[in-house]
Amino acid sequence: MIELRPIRRIQNEYFALLNQYIDLIKGKQFEYKDYLHMIDDVSIFWKKNIEKMEYFLENIEFEDECVYLAGAMWIDLDNLGHYEMAISGKQLIYNDPIMKLSTFFNPKLDEVRLDETIKYFNKVFIDCYNVLELYRDKIFVIPVSFIFNIDNQVREDVLQSGSKSYILNLFTHDQMSFEELSEKYKTFESIEESLSNVILDRIIFYDISDNKRPLRVRIESNLSRMFNYKLLRTRMSEFQLFSMAMNNFILQSIDILLISSSYHLIPFIRSDVVFNYYLLITGGVNEESPIKEISEVIHISYMFRKIVDFGRFNDVGFECFWETLINNNVRQRLIDELKSINRNIMDIKPEIVASCIYNLLDKYYD
Amino acid sequence: MVKILYLRNEQFESRTAGTISQIISSLILEVYSVMNKSKLKDHKFNKGVLYTPWNYMMGEQLSLSSWAKDWLPEYIWIGLILKYYGRNVGLTKMSTIMEMLRKKDKELLCPSISEILSMDKSKKEFFYDTILNNIEPIVLTPLTSVIRPKDCSLFTDKFTIIEININEKIEKITDCIDDLLNHQSNESTDIRFLIVWFSILKEKIFFTEGLDVTTEAVSQYAFTEHDNEKMRMYRPSIRSLEMGLRNKEINFFSNHFWKEIGMMTKCTPIYMEDNITMDYSNQLFEDSKKAIEYIVSNNKEALLNQSKIRVITGLLTYVLKIYDEIVSNNLQNSIISRGAFRTMVETYINLKYMLKNEKDSPLIYDIFEDYGLGKYKYVVVQTREKHDEINEFHHVRIPIIEALVNYDKGEEFRDMDTRMFDNVNIRSKFEQVDEKELYDLYYEYDTNYSHGFWGAIMESSMLVCDNPAHNYHFIPDIRNDQKLSDIRYDCNMILSKLMNTVSKIYEIPGNLKKSFEESHD
């Protein structure tokens, strides 16, 4: 059973901290060094509260229904991103985006595109600030990954070996090491030719329509978004670039799995791309794993987000919308109804799922 | 003999008497820190308290000043410079910096961070630029983790290196703290020398004739390597001098520093593991059980109605049961074993005491029984009158103890003696039976466990945190990592003493008697 009072106090303090910077960020009066100072201040803030965060996370049970926004950097209040998560559970947690983006502010990483990073950072900062201002007793900003990574060499080992294994397994007929594959597949085209269509369809980086593009286009446009791709090309082979692009999403998915299992969180995966990789990774998870148990919840939450037009509920107000879902146990009702159609709800056609969802929503909302 | 140093400074002259007293106490403390510890007889006994010679002599005048807690943070900037450049180059650079500061700022008493942060902007700017003319900014970058822009933006502007992230800064500070925590370390003494040197440059210290050691120490310290024998003389002199210069009025940075660096870093608790292995055999226990069996089976008539044998065998059995509970439940490293052992010791002493006094007090065994049952009666009477809430879930079984209280005579004929047994305190009992050593070591020590006094709690239930940034504080051992040393050796010792005593009163099999004698030896 979780205790929320320390978390609420921390949210208040974090809001006060970010409040010192909001006007400067909105007014675009920040220089690069100011971002670094602020990131240091945020790091120091979380470091000072680590023990409280650890206690909170380590005492969550699945019954507490704590939802964790995974595969997304921000709530995106303007586009009702918080409504999307509401069906998933009773407490909403999302990773502090400032800590997540801080790695891109490392001056040693000259391949990072700083201008894009700053633009994106400002966007997520303002969103985070707004979340804290409006909903800090309901949506909790917690640097979950940061805390999970502390003294966690095991995690690092699992991530790296897991990701490497996954990429190697794409080339099952080769039975080669990473270095050997790197030698063999010198171009994106040669990689593309050796992969089956089934696998190639799932290698997406931007959205689902990626699978209609050549592999080269997929990779280059993905890496160009956040990195100086010309610089990367001078330092890495095409196979390495392919692995780097894949790695990003595979690592994310394995990380979601590790964090969710460790802290008994229900991951809400907004990104289609990450959800795609998450399904690929968890396809191999043990049937007895707690993650398998909540896979229905994850799937329903994803479908809910894809199907519902949340603009319809804007007038209802987020708190009312959410409380109605929780108090009426809408999620479980939906799962029960879908199971009465097919025991494996993931096999049910989206139109039928949509119909069930809207029937339930019409019942509880005017 | 202590030489007095005269300080020339308006601030001090008006408080000369107190100041000189502080200097004396600090000088003596420095000297005493390397001397032997006081014996028990050196302590002064007054109204139940044993005062140390120091505390007794100095009384309220004595004020302790902790280098680590109060002063290390103030001078950690010097520590970072010395660590980065090495001792020789570092001392040279600091000498240059101090010379420039001395010329510019006549009011600066000592180069502590509190003093620096209290300066006006132009002086601060000069100070930082002076430092930057002599060192790379990266040297003091770690301090920007505790001095943030909101504390002093001028400092962070001058000394922030963006390539150094917060974790690296904290690590460097923690490493430096590790070197400086011990007030007598070479690194700490180097800093303390620089503080003294600054006062000399500012003409705040003058030396009278005859202070040859001190003047030599001050003039030669910087040019003498630490492994030189002369430093064994120089270092204490320097430290004594520095202690007298401390001014707690401007010292706010230390609290801020420890709070910031402490909160930013995690505890790293360590526990101690006893690596002494004991070859334990339960033979003594088995032999003791056999001996009691023999006594009981061969003294049935006496057991029917004689209090002496009843009490003695009862005490023996009580001790054996405690022993068995410790060993068979693997409690030899536990907290509870200490309280249990104390009970074993006290039971043994009670037995010896009664044996010693039975001639003068033939009814002593009856008195012992009556005393104990009187204690039980007190519980019964209290419960009847005050505690309705006792139910079957409580471990105090009132019906049973009520039956015991009334077993040989009605409780209306049983008095309740609220004093110690036989109105003799436990310590006297130990002395009377020539077991004072048992009292001084074991009983005194284990009493701390029975009463939950702080020493026992620290030893058993708190872990020292190995993080230098936490000043080696203690934290609760909530995961139960810390175990205590094995108590079985001492349990055997008491058991064999007990069995040897009893074997002199009652006949027991020869082989057992022999084994008790051997184990006692």
Side-chain angles (χ1 to χ4, degrees), chain B residues 338-455:
Chain B
R338 270 66 184 151
F341 177 75
R342 180 181 176 262
T343 304
M344 288 171 69
V345 171
E346 192 166 348
T347 306
Y348 165 65
I349 293 301
N350 278 334
L351 173 65
K352 273 194 96 173
Y353 177 82
M354 285 187 275
L355 288 169
K356 184 171 195 291
N357 288 283
E358 64 180 352
K359 233 185 219 162
D360 297 331
S361 176
L363 294 176
I364 195 158
Y365 300 99
D366 301 273
I367 294 169
F368 181 74
E369 286 181 324
D370 210 37
Y371 173 80
L373 290 173
K375 289 259 183 241
Y376 260 31
K377 179 186 167 183
Y378 187 78
V379 173
V380 172
V381 170
Q382 285 264 53
T383 309
R384 274 189 209 129
E385 290 172 17
K386 293 178 188 174
H387 299 284
D388 291 333
E389 68 277 13
I390 301 281
N391 59 37
E392 66 269 23
F393 298 110
H394 293 276
H395 80 290
V396 183
R397 295 284 202 242
I398 296 297
I400 292 174
I401 64 174
E402 192 173 11
L404 292 174
V405 165
N406 286 277
Y407 97 95
D408 60 343
K409 63 184 178 189
E411 63 181 77
E412 291 307 309
F413 305 101
R414 182 147 351 253
D415 296 329
M416 296 175 277
D417 190 343
T418 60
R419 305 167 298 179
M420 306 294 293
F421 164 57
D422 210 30
N423 200 21
V424 173
N425 72 45
I426 189 69
R427 192 186 166 158
S428 296
K429 288 190 177 97
F430 274 85
E431 285 168 349
Q432 283 186 35
V433 302
D434 298 322
E435 295 277 14
K436 189 160 181 307
E437 257 188 44
L438 267 188
Y439 179 85
D440 288 340
L441 175 57
Y442 296 102
Y443 195 79
E444 273 286 4
Y445 171 71
D446 292 312
T447 294
N448 287 281
Y449 279 86
S450 296
H451 291 304
F453 288 153
W454 190 243

Side-chain angles (χ1 to χ4, degrees), chain B residues 45-292:
Chain B
F45 188 76
N46 185 11
K47 291 181 188 171
V49 179
L50 284 158
Y51 291 94
T52 70
W54 270 117
N55 289 345
Y56 195 76
M57 179 169 64
M58 299 302 300
E60 293 296 320
Q61 279 192 316
L62 185 67
S63 77
L64 299 178
S65 170
S66 164
W67 162 256
K69 187 167 163 288
D70 299 326
W71 301 104
L72 181 161
E74 295 286 356
Y75 301 111
I76 195 166
W77 70 277
I78 302 178
L80 287 166
I81 292 173
L82 296 179
K83 193 171 175 76
Y84 188 88
Y85 290 105
R87 183 176 187 253
N88 293 337
V89 172
L91 284 174
T92 308
K93 285 188 180 288
M94 280 307 304
S95 167
T96 310
I97 291 170
M98 284 181 164
E99 180 61 33
M100 291 172 77
L101 286 175
R102 175 191 76 84
K103 284 179 187 160
K104 174 72 178 182
D105 188 342
K106 306 229 179 316
E107 288 153 20
L108 183 66
L109 290 175
C110 60
S112 66
I113 294 184
S114 290
E115 291 260 4
I116 294 160
L117 291 176
S118 305
M119 290 174 179
D120 64 47
K121 194 176 173 200
S122 62
K123 279 189 180 166
K124 260 194 274 213
E125 184 123 32
F126 172 80
F127 183 84
Y128 298 147
D129 289 339
T130 303
I131 293 176
L132 285 169
N133 284 336
N134 289 278
I135 64 163
E136 306 286 333
I138 197 172
V139 179
L140 294 188
T141 291
L143 273 178
T144 60
S145 60
V146 288
I147 302 175
R148 302 296 303 144
K150 63 176 169 55
D151 303 316
C152 182
S153 57
L154 192 55
F155 183 87
T156 51
D157 284 345
K158 300 266 182 197
F159 292 101
T160 297
I161 304 287
I162 58 175
E163 283 83 4
I164 310 293
N165 67 40
I166 189 76
N167 292 326
E168 289 166 310
K169 291 178 195 174
I170 291 172
E171 199 180 318
K172 285 197 180 342
I173 291 236
T174 310
D175 282 345
C176 196
I177 293 172
D178 205 13
D179 293 338
L180 301 177
L181 260 180
N182 181 352
H183 70 111
Q184 293 178 326
S185 70
N186 293 345
E187 293 84 355
S188 300
T189 312
D190 286 342
I191 293 177
R192 295 168 81 174
F193 163 75
L194 287 166
I195 297 165
V196 169
W197 186 249
F198 190 74
S199 290
I200 291 171
L201 288 177
K202 302 271 298 181
E203 296 180 9
K204 300 297 181 207
I205 300 180
F206 288 85
F207 297 94
T208 63
E209 271 186 44
L211 286 176
D212 298 331
V213 170
T214 311
T215 47
E216 187 184 327
V218 169
S219 61
Q220 296 302 311
Y221 183 89
F223 308 107
T224 313
E225 296 297 328
H226 276 295
D227 53 12
N228 189 316
E229 272 296 303
K230 285 192 172 183
M231 282 295 237
R232 287 160 65 89
M233 195 174 53
Y234 294 166
R235 283 189 292 255
S237 297
I238 296 296
R239 291 193 287 260
S240 311
L241 272 171
E242 182 271 330
M243 281 182 84
L245 298 169
R246 293 176 184 179
N247 175 14
K248 257 202 130 158
E249 281 182 10
I250 308 180
N251 186 224
F252 60 83
F253 181 72
S254 292
N255 284 340
H256 170 81
F257 176 86
W258 285 122
K259 183 183 157 199
E260 290 296 303
I261 200 72
M263 288 297 288
M264 283 193 283
T265 51
K266 290 199 80 174
C267 286
T268 49
I270 53 173
Y271 64 90
M272 291 172 286
E273 227 169 41
D274 212 359
N275 61 0
I276 296 168
T277 49
M278 195 178 135
D279 262 332
Y280 174 72
S281 151
N282 68 344
Q283 192 58 49
L284 180 61
F285 173 72
E286 295 299 331
D287 288 348
S288 304
K289 268 184 12 183
K290 281 203 176 66
I292 298 181

Side-chain angles (χ1 to χ4, degrees), chain B residues 448-489:
Chain B
N448 287 281
Y449 279 86
S450 296
H451 291 304
F453 288 153
W454 190 243
I457 292 173
M458 278 190 89
E459 187 185 9
S460 63
S461 308
M462 305 289 284
L463 299 178
V464 68
C465 168
D466 197 31
N467 183 350
H470 292 187
N471 227 332
Y472 299 110
H473 70 143
F474 278 77
I475 55 173
D477 179 21
I478 43 180
R479 296 193 209 283
N480 198 15
D481 288 314
Q482 183 63 61
K483 302 286 180 258
L484 297 167
S485 53
D486 196 328
I487 207 166
R488 287 175 298 179
Y489 179 85

Side-chain angles (χ1 to χ4, degrees), chain A residues 10-30 34-35 37-45 48 98 121 125-126 128-130 132-133, chain B residues 148-153 260:
Chain A
I10 288 168
Q11 299 298 293
N12 287 338
E13 288 164 16
Y14 194 45
F15 176 64
L17 176 65
L18 297 192
N19 205 27
Q20 295 171 28
Y21 303 106
I22 187 64
D23 291 336
L24 295 164
I25 294 230
K26 278 182 176 170
K28 297 187 170 75
Q29 292 162 32
F30 248 29
D34 296 321
Y35 282 100
H37 279 313
M38 179 181 64
I39 286 169
D40 270 358
D41 278 342
V42 168
S43 299
I44 288 170
F45 176 83
K48 288 181 179 180
I98 296 167
F121 182 93
F125 179 97
I126 293 169
C128 181
Y129 177 85
N130 291 337
L132 286 165
E133 187 178 31
Chain B
R148 302 296 303 144
K150 63 176 169 55
D151 303 316
C152 182
S153 57
E260 290 296 303

Side-chain angles (χ1 to χ4, degrees), chain A residues 74-324:
Chain A
W74 56 332
I75 295 285
D76 194 4
L77 285 183
D78 290 345
N79 289 310
L80 306 180
H82 47 322
Y83 281 73
E84 293 173 1
M85 292 173 68
I87 197 172
S88 310
K90 294 178 188 161
Q91 324 292 342
L92 307 182
I93 293 172
Y94 89 110
N95 246 321
D96 178 28
I98 296 167
M99 289 297 288
K100 287 220 86 174
L101 284 173
S102 65
T103 48
F104 291 97
F105 281 82
N106 185 344
K108 294 172 190 161
L109 295 177
D110 54 3
E111 61 267 25
V112 172
R113 284 184 56 192
L114 200 53
D115 53 336
E116 286 296 318
T117 303
I118 287 177
K119 220 174 13 179
Y120 189 59
F121 182 93
N122 289 349
K123 203 166 67 167
V124 300
F125 179 97
I126 293 169
D127 184 67
C128 181
Y129 177 85
N130 291 337
V131 167
L132 286 165
E133 187 178 31
L134 298 168
Y135 302 118
R136 62 181 179 272
D137 62 334
K138 293 248 175 320
I139 304 176
F140 303 126
V141 182
I142 297 174
V144 179
S145 300
F146 167 65
I147 290 163
F148 189 67
N149 294 346
I150 293 169
D151 301 328
N152 205 342
Q153 190 53 45
V154 171
R155 171 208 172 256
E156 200 50 44
D157 295 341
V158 169
L159 280 179
Q160 295 304 330
S161 65
S163 178
K164 213 168 185 176
S165 289
Y166 190 82
I167 294 173
L168 288 177
N169 282 337
L170 295 175
F171 304 90
T172 47
H173 53 281
D174 281 313
Q175 301 285 325
M176 286 181 177
S177 72
F178 196 87
E179 291 69 29
E180 286 165 341
L181 285 171
S182 191
E183 255 322 287
K184 182 176 176 181
Y185 296 107
K186 292 197 188 307
T187 63
F188 293 133
E189 284 72 23
S190 61
I191 297 169
E192 194 167 7
E193 273 168 33
S194 82
L195 294 173
S196 70
N197 287 334
V198 169
I199 291 172
L200 210 46
D201 258 357
R202 303 298 291 269
I203 298 178
I204 57 175
F205 303 116
Y206 185 64
D207 60 23
I208 293 171
S209 64
D210 243 6
N211 60 13
K212 294 183 177 41
R213 302 192 188 101
L215 188 63
R216 176 173 293 278
V217 173
R218 296 183 217 181
I219 293 170
E220 287 181 349
S221 53
N222 173 51
L223 292 178
S224 300
R225 265 194 293 279
M226 293 303 284
F227 298 100
N228 182 336
Y229 186 68
K230 280 193 183 142
L231 192 57
L232 284 180
R233 282 298 314 266
T234 63
R235 293 177 183 175
M236 297 166 82
S237 70
E238 292 202 350
F239 188 85
Q240 285 173 325
L241 288 168
F242 162 74
S243 301
M244 181 178 175
M246 291 283 292
N247 229 17
N248 179 29
F249 292 100
I250 296 169
L251 287 177
Q252 252 192 81
S253 304
I254 299 175
D255 212 22
I256 292 169
L257 184 60
L258 282 177
I259 288 175
S260 306
S261 305
S262 302
Y263 293 141
H264 305 125
L265 297 170
I266 302 167
F268 171 78
I269 303 172
R270 175 186 291 154
S271 155
D272 294 333
V273 176
V274 176
F275 192 72
N276 163 64
Y277 283 97
Y278 184 80
L279 286 179
L280 287 174
I281 299 295
T282 54
V285 167
N286 195 301
E287 283 298 321
E288 276 77 50
S289 161
I291 284 297
K292 269 294 195 204
E293 279 179 39
I294 58 164
S295 61
E296 287 173 349
V297 175
I298 298 167
H299 188 79
I300 283 298
S301 303
Y302 179 74
M303 296 296 287
F304 192 79
R305 179 190 83 78
K306 295 291 283 182
I307 288 165
V308 176
D309 169 20
F310 294 101
R312 188 183 135 182
F313 303 99
N314 207 0
D315 292 339
V316 169
F318 172 66
E319 296 194 24
C320 179
F321 173 72
W322 189 18
E323 274 163 19
T324 305

